[in-house]
PDB file of all heavy atoms in Angstrom:
ATOM      1  N   PRO A  27      63.913  -8.543  23.000  1.00  0.00           N
ATOM      2  CA  PRO A  27      62.711  -8.372  23.816  1.00  0.00           C
ATOM      3  C   PRO A  27      62.324  -9.542  24.703  1.00  0.00           C
ATOM      4  O   PRO A  27      61.385  -9.418  25.482  1.00  0.00           O
ATOM      5  CB  PRO A  27      61.624  -8.123  22.764  1.00  0.00           C
ATOM      6  CG  PRO A  27      62.096  -8.888  21.565  1.00  0.00           C
ATOM      7  CD  PRO A  27      63.594  -8.790  21.579  1.00  0.00           C
ATOM      8  N   ALA A  28      63.031 -10.671  24.629  1.00  0.00           N
ATOM      9  CA  ALA A  28      62.649 -11.836  25.422  1.00  0.00           C
ATOM     10  C   ALA A  28      62.827 -11.560  26.909  1.00  0.00           C
ATOM     11  O   ALA A  28      63.580 -10.668  27.317  1.00  0.00           O
ATOM     12  CB  ALA A  28      63.483 -13.046  25.014  1.00  0.00           C
ATOM     13  N   ARG A  29      62.172 -12.347  27.737  1.00  0.00           N
ATOM     14  CA  ARG A  29      62.194 -12.067  29.170  1.00  0.00           C
ATOM     15  C   ARG A  29      63.579 -12.226  29.774  1.00  0.00           C
ATOM     16  O   ARG A  29      63.935 -11.518  30.710  1.00  0.00           O
ATOM     17  CB  ARG A  29      61.180 -12.945  29.912  1.00  0.00           C
ATOM     18  CG  ARG A  29      61.565 -14.409  30.103  1.00  0.00           C
ATOM     19  CD  ARG A  29      60.400 -15.152  30.742  1.00  0.00           C
ATOM     20  NE  ARG A  29      60.769 -16.494  31.201  1.00  0.00           N
ATOM     21  CZ  ARG A  29      60.803 -16.881  32.470  1.00  0.00           C
ATOM     22  NH1 ARG A  29      60.500 -16.023  33.426  1.00  0.00           N
ATOM     23  NH2 ARG A  29      61.133 -18.101  32.804  1.00  0.00           N
ATOM     24  N   GLU A  30      64.391 -13.127  29.237  1.00  0.00           N
ATOM     25  CA  GLU A  30      65.733 -13.307  29.792  1.00  0.00           C
ATOM     26  C   GLU A  30      66.641 -12.121  29.498  1.00  0.00           C
ATOM     27  O   GLU A  30      67.696 -11.972  30.120  1.00  0.00           O
ATOM     28  CB  GLU A  30      66.367 -14.600  29.288  1.00  0.00           C
ATOM     29  CG  GLU A  30      66.533 -14.684  27.793  1.00  0.00           C
ATOM     30  CD  GLU A  30      65.363 -15.359  27.103  1.00  0.00           C
ATOM     31  OE1 GLU A  30      64.256 -15.405  27.689  1.00  0.00           O
ATOM     32  OE2 GLU A  30      65.575 -15.852  25.970  1.00  0.00           O
ATOM     33  N   THR A  31      66.262 -11.283  28.533  1.00  0.00           N
ATOM     34  CA  THR A  31      67.042 -10.096  28.215  1.00  0.00           C
ATOM     35  C   THR A  31      66.257  -8.817  28.510  1.00  0.00           C
ATOM     36  O   THR A  31      66.561  -7.754  27.958  1.00  0.00           O
ATOM     37  CB  THR A  31      67.476 -10.112  26.736  1.00  0.00           C
ATOM     38  OG1 THR A  31      66.350 -10.427  25.905  1.00  0.00           O
ATOM     39  CG2 THR A  31      68.573 -11.143  26.515  1.00  0.00           C
ATOM     40  N   THR A  32      65.261  -8.916  29.386  1.00  0.00           N
ATOM     41  CA  THR A  32      64.476  -7.746  29.793  1.00  0.00           C
ATOM     42  C   THR A  32      64.452  -7.688  31.316  1.00  0.00           C
ATOM     43  O   THR A  32      63.944  -8.607  31.972  1.00  0.00           O
ATOM     44  CB  THR A  32      63.038  -7.814  29.264  1.00  0.00           C
ATOM     45  OG1 THR A  32      63.062  -7.932  27.838  1.00  0.00           O
ATOM     46  CG2 THR A  32      62.265  -6.554  29.643  1.00  0.00           C
ATOM     47  N   GLY A  33      65.014  -6.613  31.870  1.00  0.00           N
ATOM     48  CA  GLY A  33      65.086  -6.478  33.317  1.00  0.00           C
ATOM     49  C   GLY A  33      64.340  -5.261  33.813  1.00  0.00           C
ATOM     50  O   GLY A  33      63.980  -4.354  33.050  1.00  0.00           O
ATOM     51  N   VAL A  34      64.100  -5.242  35.116  1.00  0.00           N
ATOM     52  CA  VAL A  34      63.416  -4.142  35.770  1.00  0.00           C
ATOM     53  C   VAL A  34      64.111  -3.900  37.098  1.00  0.00           C
ATOM     54  O   VAL A  34      64.555  -4.837  37.760  1.00  0.00           O
ATOM     55  CB  VAL A  34      61.916  -4.459  35.948  1.00  0.00           C
ATOM     56  CG1 VAL A  34      61.693  -5.685  36.807  1.00  0.00           C
ATOM     57  CG2 VAL A  34      61.133  -3.272  36.482  1.00  0.00           C
ATOM     58  N   GLY A  35      64.244  -2.620  37.483  1.00  0.00           N
ATOM     59  CA  GLY A  35      64.961  -2.350  38.721  1.00  0.00           C
ATOM     60  C   GLY A  35      64.682  -0.968  39.261  1.00  0.00           C
ATOM     61  O   GLY A  35      64.095  -0.114  38.599  1.00  0.00           O
ATOM     62  N   GLY A  36      65.139  -0.770  40.492  1.00  0.00           N
ATOM     63  CA  GLY A  36      64.989   0.516  41.136  1.00  0.00           C
ATOM     64  C   GLY A  36      65.430   0.438  42.575  1.00  0.00           C
ATOM     65  O   GLY A  36      65.865  -0.614  43.064  1.00  0.00           O
ATOM     66  N   SER A  37      65.317   1.570  43.271  1.00  0.00           N
ATOM     67  CA  SER A  37      65.727   1.639  44.671  1.00  0.00           C
ATOM     68  C   SER A  37      64.563   2.079  45.533  1.00  0.00           C
ATOM     69  O   SER A  37      63.635   2.752  45.068  1.00  0.00           O
ATOM     70  CB  SER A  37      66.879   2.638  44.831  1.00  0.00           C
ATOM     71  OG  SER A  37      66.449   3.944  44.475  1.00  0.00           O
ATOM     72  N   SER A  38      64.614   1.680  46.804  1.00  0.00           N
ATOM     73  CA  SER A  38      63.598   2.042  47.780  1.00  0.00           C
ATOM     74  C   SER A  38      62.229   1.579  47.289  1.00  0.00           C
ATOM     75  O   SER A  38      62.063   0.407  46.957  1.00  0.00           O
ATOM     76  CB  SER A  38      63.652   3.548  48.042  1.00  0.00           C
ATOM     77  OG  SER A  38      62.905   3.880  49.183  1.00  0.00           O
ATOM     78  N   LEU A  39      61.238   2.468  47.186  1.00  0.00           N
ATOM     79  CA  LEU A  39      59.945   2.052  46.641  1.00  0.00           C
ATOM     80  C   LEU A  39      60.069   1.617  45.182  1.00  0.00           C
ATOM     81  O   LEU A  39      59.314   0.763  44.709  1.00  0.00           O
ATOM     82  CB  LEU A  39      58.925   3.190  46.761  1.00  0.00           C
ATOM     83  CG  LEU A  39      58.387   3.478  48.161  1.00  0.00           C
ATOM     84  CD1 LEU A  39      57.458   4.689  48.132  1.00  0.00           C
ATOM     85  CD2 LEU A  39      57.646   2.269  48.744  1.00  0.00           C
ATOM     86  N   GLY A  40      61.038   2.194  44.464  1.00  0.00           N
ATOM     87  CA  GLY A  40      61.298   1.749  43.100  1.00  0.00           C
ATOM     88  C   GLY A  40      61.781   0.315  43.054  1.00  0.00           C
ATOM     89  O   GLY A  40      61.481  -0.428  42.112  1.00  0.00           O
ATOM     90  N   GLY A  41      62.551  -0.098  44.065  1.00  0.00           N
ATOM     91  CA  GLY A  41      62.946  -1.500  44.165  1.00  0.00           C
ATOM     92  C   GLY A  41      61.776  -2.389  44.508  1.00  0.00           C
ATOM     93  O   GLY A  41      61.661  -3.515  44.018  1.00  0.00           O
ATOM     94  N   LEU A  42      60.882  -1.870  45.356  1.00  0.00           N
ATOM     95  CA  LEU A  42      59.703  -2.640  45.750  1.00  0.00           C
ATOM     96  C   LEU A  42      58.807  -2.921  44.546  1.00  0.00           C
ATOM     97  O   LEU A  42      58.372  -4.062  44.330  1.00  0.00           O
ATOM     98  CB  LEU A  42      58.929  -1.876  46.822  1.00  0.00           C
ATOM     99  CG  LEU A  42      57.766  -2.622  47.477  1.00  0.00           C
ATOM    100  CD1 LEU A  42      58.281  -3.776  48.323  1.00  0.00           C
ATOM    101  CD2 LEU A  42      56.939  -1.661  48.336  1.00  0.00           C
ATOM    102  N   VAL A  43      58.526  -1.903  43.735  1.00  0.00           N
ATOM    103  CA  VAL A  43      57.646  -2.117  42.584  1.00  0.00           C
ATOM    104  C   VAL A  43      58.349  -2.953  41.515  1.00  0.00           C
ATOM    105  O   VAL A  43      57.690  -3.674  40.752  1.00  0.00           O
ATOM    106  CB  VAL A  43      57.144  -0.777  42.016  1.00  0.00           C
ATOM    107  CG1 VAL A  43      58.202  -0.066  41.176  1.00  0.00           C
ATOM    108  CG2 VAL A  43      55.868  -0.984  41.213  1.00  0.00           C
ATOM    109  N   SER A  44      59.676  -2.903  41.457  1.00  0.00           N
ATOM    110  CA  SER A  44      60.398  -3.745  40.507  1.00  0.00           C
ATOM    111  C   SER A  44      60.284  -5.213  40.902  1.00  0.00           C
ATOM    112  O   SER A  44      60.117  -6.091  40.040  1.00  0.00           O
ATOM    113  CB  SER A  44      61.861  -3.317  40.432  1.00  0.00           C
ATOM    114  OG  SER A  44      61.967  -1.996  39.947  1.00  0.00           O
ATOM    115  N   LEU A  45      60.382  -5.507  42.204  1.00  0.00           N
ATOM    116  CA  LEU A  45      60.144  -6.871  42.657  1.00  0.00           C
ATOM    117  C   LEU A  45      58.734  -7.329  42.292  1.00  0.00           C
ATOM    118  O   LEU A  45      58.525  -8.472  41.862  1.00  0.00           O
ATOM    119  CB  LEU A  45      60.347  -6.968  44.166  1.00  0.00           C
ATOM    120  CG  LEU A  45      61.789  -6.959  44.659  1.00  0.00           C
ATOM    121  CD1 LEU A  45      61.836  -6.752  46.172  1.00  0.00           C
ATOM    122  CD2 LEU A  45      62.499  -8.254  44.284  1.00  0.00           C
ATOM    123  N   ALA A  46      57.762  -6.422  42.455  1.00  0.00           N
ATOM    124  CA  ALA A  46      56.384  -6.759  42.098  1.00  0.00           C
ATOM    125  C   ALA A  46      56.263  -7.042  40.605  1.00  0.00           C
ATOM    126  O   ALA A  46      55.553  -7.972  40.191  1.00  0.00           O
ATOM    127  CB  ALA A  46      55.448  -5.622  42.502  1.00  0.00           C
ATOM    128  N   ALA A  47      56.963  -6.262  39.777  1.00  0.00           N
ATOM    129  CA  ALA A  47      56.915  -6.476  38.334  1.00  0.00           C
ATOM    130  C   ALA A  47      57.438  -7.852  37.963  1.00  0.00           C
ATOM    131  O   ALA A  47      56.846  -8.564  37.140  1.00  0.00           O
ATOM    132  CB  ALA A  47      57.708  -5.388  37.616  1.00  0.00           C
ATOM    133  N   SER A  48      58.545  -8.249  38.574  1.00  0.00           N
ATOM    134  CA  SER A  48      59.123  -9.555  38.234  1.00  0.00           C
ATOM    135  C   SER A  48      58.310 -10.703  38.807  1.00  0.00           C
ATOM    136  O   SER A  48      58.291 -11.802  38.245  1.00  0.00           O
ATOM    137  CB  SER A  48      60.567  -9.631  38.749  1.00  0.00           C
ATOM    138  OG  SER A  48      60.607  -9.612  40.170  1.00  0.00           O
ATOM    139  N   ALA A  49      57.622 -10.470  39.926  1.00  0.00           N
ATOM    140  CA  ALA A  49      56.803 -11.525  40.528  1.00  0.00           C
ATOM    141  C   ALA A  49      55.452 -11.654  39.834  1.00  0.00           C
ATOM    142  O   ALA A  49      54.952 -12.770  39.627  1.00  0.00           O
ATOM    143  CB  ALA A  49      56.590 -11.229  42.017  1.00  0.00           C
ATOM    144  N   GLU A  50      54.855 -10.517  39.459  1.00  0.00           N
ATOM    145  CA  GLU A  50      53.529 -10.541  38.852  1.00  0.00           C
ATOM    146  C   GLU A  50      53.577 -10.721  37.339  1.00  0.00           C
ATOM    147  O   GLU A  50      52.618 -11.230  36.746  1.00  0.00           O
ATOM    148  CB  GLU A  50      52.790  -9.243  39.194  1.00  0.00           C
ATOM    149  CG  GLU A  50      52.555  -9.022  40.673  1.00  0.00           C
ATOM    150  CD  GLU A  50      51.686 -10.101  41.286  1.00  0.00           C
ATOM    151  OE1 GLU A  50      50.701 -10.512  40.627  1.00  0.00           O
ATOM    152  OE2 GLU A  50      51.993 -10.538  42.416  1.00  0.00           O
ATOM    153  N   ARG A  51      54.659 -10.312  36.710  1.00  0.00           N
ATOM    154  CA  ARG A  51      54.781 -10.406  35.250  1.00  0.00           C
ATOM    155  C   ARG A  51      56.139 -10.979  34.857  1.00  0.00           C
ATOM    156  O   ARG A  51      56.895 -10.373  34.098  1.00  0.00           O
ATOM    157  CB  ARG A  51      54.559  -9.031  34.619  1.00  0.00           C
ATOM    158  CG  ARG A  51      53.135  -8.493  34.827  1.00  0.00           C
ATOM    159  CD  ARG A  51      52.938  -7.145  34.186  1.00  0.00           C
ATOM    160  NE  ARG A  51      51.580  -6.657  34.346  1.00  0.00           N
ATOM    161  CZ  ARG A  51      50.592  -6.806  33.449  1.00  0.00           C
ATOM    162  NH1 ARG A  51      50.841  -7.455  32.328  1.00  0.00           N
ATOM    163  NH2 ARG A  51      49.386  -6.316  33.680  1.00  0.00           N
ATOM    164  N   PRO A  52      56.456 -12.177  35.351  1.00  0.00           N
ATOM    165  CA  PRO A  52      57.767 -12.757  35.038  1.00  0.00           C
ATOM    166  C   PRO A  52      57.900 -13.168  33.580  1.00  0.00           C
ATOM    167  O   PRO A  52      59.022 -13.358  33.102  1.00  0.00           O
ATOM    168  CB  PRO A  52      57.837 -13.972  35.970  1.00  0.00           C
ATOM    169  CG  PRO A  52      56.401 -14.350  36.191  1.00  0.00           C
ATOM    170  CD  PRO A  52      55.657 -13.057  36.232  1.00  0.00           C
ATOM    171  N   GLU A  53      56.782 -13.300  32.874  1.00  0.00           N
ATOM    172  CA  GLU A  53      56.855 -13.609  31.449  1.00  0.00           C
ATOM    173  C   GLU A  53      57.384 -12.421  30.651  1.00  0.00           C
ATOM    174  O   GLU A  53      57.831 -12.578  29.505  1.00  0.00           O
ATOM    175  CB  GLU A  53      55.476 -14.022  30.919  1.00  0.00           C
ATOM    176  CG  GLU A  53      54.454 -12.906  30.797  1.00  0.00           C
ATOM    177  CD  GLU A  53      53.846 -12.451  32.127  1.00  0.00           C
ATOM    178  OE1 GLU A  53      54.141 -13.076  33.158  1.00  0.00           O
ATOM    179  OE2 GLU A  53      53.071 -11.477  32.116  1.00  0.00           O
ATOM    180  N   THR A  54      57.348 -11.231  31.240  1.00  0.00           N
ATOM    181  CA  THR A  54      57.827 -10.009  30.582  1.00  0.00           C
ATOM    182  C   THR A  54      59.173  -9.573  31.133  1.00  0.00           C
ATOM    183  O   THR A  54      60.109  -9.290  30.374  1.00  0.00           O
ATOM    184  CB  THR A  54      56.806  -8.871  30.757  1.00  0.00           C
ATOM    185  OG1 THR A  54      55.556  -9.273  30.204  1.00  0.00           O
ATOM    186  CG2 THR A  54      57.285  -7.599  30.079  1.00  0.00           C
ATOM    187  N   PHE A  55      59.285  -9.504  32.461  1.00  0.00           N
ATOM    188  CA  PHE A  55      60.510  -9.039  33.117  1.00  0.00           C
ATOM    189  C   PHE A  55      61.187 -10.232  33.784  1.00  0.00           C
ATOM    190  O   PHE A  55      60.796 -10.668  34.863  1.00  0.00           O
ATOM    191  CB  PHE A  55      60.181  -7.952  34.139  1.00  0.00           C
ATOM    192  CG  PHE A  55      59.464  -6.773  33.549  1.00  0.00           C
ATOM    193  CD1 PHE A  55      58.104  -6.581  33.744  1.00  0.00           C
ATOM    194  CD2 PHE A  55      60.150  -5.856  32.760  1.00  0.00           C
ATOM    195  CE1 PHE A  55      57.445  -5.496  33.192  1.00  0.00           C
ATOM    196  CE2 PHE A  55      59.500  -4.768  32.196  1.00  0.00           C
ATOM    197  CZ  PHE A  55      58.142  -4.595  32.405  1.00  0.00           C
ATOM    198  N   GLY A  56      62.231 -10.747  33.121  1.00  0.00           N
ATOM    199  CA  GLY A  56      62.848 -11.983  33.598  1.00  0.00           C
ATOM    200  C   GLY A  56      63.891 -11.794  34.667  1.00  0.00           C
ATOM    201  O   GLY A  56      64.202 -12.734  35.394  1.00  0.00           O
ATOM    202  N   VAL A  57      64.461 -10.581  34.773  1.00  0.00           N
ATOM    203  CA  VAL A  57      65.499 -10.335  35.781  1.00  0.00           C
ATOM    204  C   VAL A  57      65.157  -9.053  36.521  1.00  0.00           C
ATOM    205  O   VAL A  57      64.523  -8.144  35.966  1.00  0.00           O
ATOM    206  CB  VAL A  57      66.910 -10.269  35.157  1.00  0.00           C
ATOM    207  CG1 VAL A  57      67.236 -11.569  34.441  1.00  0.00           C
ATOM    208  CG2 VAL A  57      67.050  -9.093  34.201  1.00  0.00           C
ATOM    209  N   VAL A  58      65.583  -8.964  37.791  1.00  0.00           N
ATOM    210  CA  VAL A  58      65.173  -7.835  38.624  1.00  0.00           C
ATOM    211  C   VAL A  58      66.296  -7.415  39.552  1.00  0.00           C
ATOM    212  O   VAL A  58      67.034  -8.248  40.079  1.00  0.00           O
ATOM    213  CB  VAL A  58      63.907  -8.178  39.440  1.00  0.00           C
ATOM    214  CG1 VAL A  58      64.120  -9.404  40.317  1.00  0.00           C
ATOM    215  CG2 VAL A  58      63.443  -6.993  40.276  1.00  0.00           C
ATOM    216  N   ALA A  59      66.426  -6.097  39.721  1.00  0.00           N
ATOM    217  CA  ALA A  59      67.366  -5.522  40.684  1.00  0.00           C
ATOM    218  C   ALA A  59      66.587  -4.661  41.664  1.00  0.00           C
ATOM    219  O   ALA A  59      65.932  -3.693  41.271  1.00  0.00           O
ATOM    220  CB  ALA A  59      68.419  -4.667  39.968  1.00  0.00           C
ATOM    221  N   ALA A  60      66.643  -5.016  42.934  1.00  0.00           N
ATOM    222  CA  ALA A  60      65.983  -4.244  43.993  1.00  0.00           C
ATOM    223  C   ALA A  60      67.059  -3.730  44.935  1.00  0.00           C
ATOM    224  O   ALA A  60      67.575  -4.483  45.771  1.00  0.00           O
ATOM    225  CB  ALA A  60      64.972  -5.096  44.735  1.00  0.00           C
ATOM    226  N   LEU A  61      67.409  -2.468  44.792  1.00  0.00           N
ATOM    227  CA  LEU A  61      68.449  -1.847  45.620  1.00  0.00           C
ATOM    228  C   LEU A  61      67.774  -1.165  46.806  1.00  0.00           C
ATOM    229  O   LEU A  61      66.907  -0.302  46.626  1.00  0.00           O
ATOM    230  CB  LEU A  61      69.264  -0.841  44.800  1.00  0.00           C
ATOM    231  CG  LEU A  61      70.159  -1.420  43.690  1.00  0.00           C
ATOM    232  CD1 LEU A  61      69.363  -1.737  42.430  1.00  0.00           C
ATOM    233  CD2 LEU A  61      71.277  -0.437  43.344  1.00  0.00           C
ATOM    234  N   SER A  62      68.147  -1.570  47.997  1.00  0.00           N
ATOM    235  CA  SER A  62      67.540  -1.045  49.224  1.00  0.00           C
ATOM    236  C   SER A  62      66.019  -1.002  49.130  1.00  0.00           C
ATOM    237  O   SER A  62      65.387   0.033  49.348  1.00  0.00           O
ATOM    238  CB  SER A  62      68.069   0.367  49.524  1.00  0.00           C
ATOM    239  OG  SER A  62      69.453   0.385  49.676  1.00  0.00           O
ATOM    240  N   PRO A  63      65.385  -2.130  48.784  1.00  0.00           N
ATOM    241  CA  PRO A  63      63.935  -2.096  48.604  1.00  0.00           C
ATOM    242  C   PRO A  63      63.218  -1.767  49.909  1.00  0.00           C
ATOM    243  O   PRO A  63      63.685  -2.108  50.996  1.00  0.00           O
ATOM    244  CB  PRO A  63      63.605  -3.511  48.136  1.00  0.00           C
ATOM    245  CG  PRO A  63      64.709  -4.359  48.698  1.00  0.00           C
ATOM    246  CD  PRO A  63      65.931  -3.490  48.632  1.00  0.00           C
ATOM    247  N   ALA A  64      62.055  -1.120  49.785  1.00  0.00           N
ATOM    248  CA  ALA A  64      61.248  -0.757  50.955  1.00  0.00           C
ATOM    249  C   ALA A  64      60.428  -1.969  51.392  1.00  0.00           C
ATOM    250  O   ALA A  64      59.192  -1.983  51.343  1.00  0.00           O
ATOM    251  CB  ALA A  64      60.344   0.417  50.617  1.00  0.00           C
ATOM    252  N   THR A  65      61.137  -2.983  51.839  1.00  0.00           N
ATOM    253  CA  THR A  65      60.499  -4.255  52.215  1.00  0.00           C
ATOM    254  C   THR A  65      59.515  -4.066  53.364  1.00  0.00           C
ATOM    255  O   THR A  65      58.550  -4.835  53.498  1.00  0.00           O
ATOM    256  CB  THR A  65      61.590  -5.277  52.595  1.00  0.00           C
ATOM    257  OG1 THR A  65      62.541  -5.362  51.530  1.00  0.00           O
ATOM    258  CG2 THR A  65      61.007  -6.654  52.848  1.00  0.00           C
ATOM    259  N   TRP A  66      59.700  -3.048  54.156  1.00  0.00           N
ATOM    260  CA  TRP A  66      58.856  -2.789  55.319  1.00  0.00           C
ATOM    261  C   TRP A  66      57.430  -2.408  54.942  1.00  0.00           C
ATOM    262  O   TRP A  66      56.519  -2.497  55.777  1.00  0.00           O
ATOM    263  CB  TRP A  66      59.452  -1.652  56.153  1.00  0.00           C
ATOM    264  CG  TRP A  66      59.659  -0.393  55.353  1.00  0.00           C
ATOM    265  CD1 TRP A  66      60.790  -0.022  54.688  1.00  0.00           C
ATOM    266  CD2 TRP A  66      58.695   0.642  55.102  1.00  0.00           C
ATOM    267  NE1 TRP A  66      60.610   1.182  54.043  1.00  0.00           N
ATOM    268  CE2 TRP A  66      59.317   1.617  54.289  1.00  0.00           C
ATOM    269  CE3 TRP A  66      57.374   0.848  55.499  1.00  0.00           C
ATOM    270  CZ2 TRP A  66      58.661   2.764  53.852  1.00  0.00           C
ATOM    271  CZ3 TRP A  66      56.715   1.996  55.066  1.00  0.00           C
ATOM    272  CH2 TRP A  66      57.351   2.937  54.249  1.00  0.00           C
ATOM    273  N   TRP A  67      57.198  -2.001  53.716  1.00  0.00           N
ATOM    274  CA  TRP A  67      55.907  -1.440  53.312  1.00  0.00           C
ATOM    275  C   TRP A  67      54.743  -2.402  53.611  1.00  0.00           C
ATOM    276  O   TRP A  67      54.802  -3.580  53.303  1.00  0.00           O
ATOM    277  CB  TRP A  67      55.922  -1.116  51.813  1.00  0.00           C
ATOM    278  CG  TRP A  67      54.639  -0.486  51.321  1.00  0.00           C
ATOM    279  CD1 TRP A  67      53.549  -1.133  50.805  1.00  0.00           C
ATOM    280  CD2 TRP A  67      54.310   0.899  51.326  1.00  0.00           C
ATOM    281  NE1 TRP A  67      52.567  -0.242  50.479  1.00  0.00           N
ATOM    282  CE2 TRP A  67      53.003   1.020  50.787  1.00  0.00           C
ATOM    283  CE3 TRP A  67      54.990   2.053  51.709  1.00  0.00           C
ATOM    284  CZ2 TRP A  67      52.372   2.251  50.637  1.00  0.00           C
ATOM    285  CZ3 TRP A  67      54.366   3.270  51.562  1.00  0.00           C
ATOM    286  CH2 TRP A  67      53.074   3.364  51.035  1.00  0.00           C
ATOM    287  N   ASP A  68      53.694  -1.887  54.215  1.00  0.00           N
ATOM    288  CA  ASP A  68      52.456  -2.613  54.498  1.00  0.00           C
ATOM    289  C   ASP A  68      52.728  -3.954  55.192  1.00  0.00           C
ATOM    290  O   ASP A  68      52.274  -5.012  54.751  1.00  0.00           O
ATOM    291  CB  ASP A  68      51.665  -2.835  53.213  1.00  0.00           C
ATOM    292  CG  ASP A  68      50.257  -3.383  53.476  1.00  0.00           C
ATOM    293  OD1 ASP A  68      49.740  -3.193  54.592  1.00  0.00           O
ATOM    294  OD2 ASP A  68      49.694  -4.017  52.559  1.00  0.00           O
ATOM    295  N   GLY A  69      53.482  -3.882  56.293  1.00  0.00           N
ATOM    296  CA  GLY A  69      53.728  -5.103  57.059  1.00  0.00           C
ATOM    297  C   GLY A  69      54.499  -6.160  56.302  1.00  0.00           C
ATOM    298  O   GLY A  69      54.240  -7.356  56.460  1.00  0.00           O
ATOM    299  N   ARG A  70      55.445  -5.705  55.443  1.00  0.00           N
ATOM    300  CA  ARG A  70      56.292  -6.606  54.648  1.00  0.00           C
ATOM    301  C   ARG A  70      55.449  -7.474  53.715  1.00  0.00           C
ATOM    302  O   ARG A  70      55.692  -8.677  53.539  1.00  0.00           O
ATOM    303  CB  ARG A  70      57.165  -7.477  55.550  1.00  0.00           C
ATOM    304  CG  ARG A  70      58.074  -6.672  56.471  1.00  0.00           C
ATOM    305  CD  ARG A  70      59.000  -7.521  57.282  1.00  0.00           C
ATOM    306  NE  ARG A  70      58.292  -8.427  58.187  1.00  0.00           N
ATOM    307  CZ  ARG A  70      58.841  -9.055  59.207  1.00  0.00           C
ATOM    308  NH1 ARG A  70      60.124  -8.861  59.486  1.00  0.00           N
ATOM    309  NH2 ARG A  70      58.141  -9.878  59.968  1.00  0.00           N
ATOM    310  N   ALA A  71      54.468  -6.849  53.062  1.00  0.00           N
ATOM    311  CA  ALA A  71      53.582  -7.579  52.155  1.00  0.00           C
ATOM    312  C   ALA A  71      54.343  -8.230  51.005  1.00  0.00           C
ATOM    313  O   ALA A  71      53.903  -9.252  50.463  1.00  0.00           O
ATOM    314  CB  ALA A  71      52.518  -6.633  51.606  1.00  0.00           C
ATOM    315  N   VAL A  72      55.486  -7.677  50.636  1.00  0.00           N
ATOM    316  CA  VAL A  72      56.250  -8.238  49.526  1.00  0.00           C
ATOM    317  C   VAL A  72      56.709  -9.661  49.824  1.00  0.00           C
ATOM    318  O   VAL A  72      56.879 -10.474  48.903  1.00  0.00           O
ATOM    319  CB  VAL A  72      57.456  -7.335  49.187  1.00  0.00           C
ATOM    320  CG1 VAL A  72      58.477  -7.317  50.313  1.00  0.00           C
ATOM    321  CG2 VAL A  72      58.109  -7.766  47.886  1.00  0.00           C
ATOM    322  N   LEU A  73      56.886 -10.002  51.089  1.00  0.00           N
ATOM    323  CA  LEU A  73      57.306 -11.373  51.410  1.00  0.00           C
ATOM    324  C   LEU A  73      56.251 -12.379  50.963  1.00  0.00           C
ATOM    325  O   LEU A  73      56.578 -13.463  50.457  1.00  0.00           O
ATOM    326  CB  LEU A  73      57.557 -11.506  52.916  1.00  0.00           C
ATOM    327  CG  LEU A  73      58.665 -10.614  53.493  1.00  0.00           C
ATOM    328  CD1 LEU A  73      58.814 -10.868  54.986  1.00  0.00           C
ATOM    329  CD2 LEU A  73      59.989 -10.827  52.766  1.00  0.00           C
TER     330      LEU A  73
END
């Protein structure tokens, strides 16, 4: 269950929310896969 062995991922908007999970809760989700993330969403707010 440690963060280094707990990942989150998805594609498109699923990739976008996975990036958010790793950025907002890195103590829980230590690794992230964003496949074709919808980076364009809301003026590229993810940046």
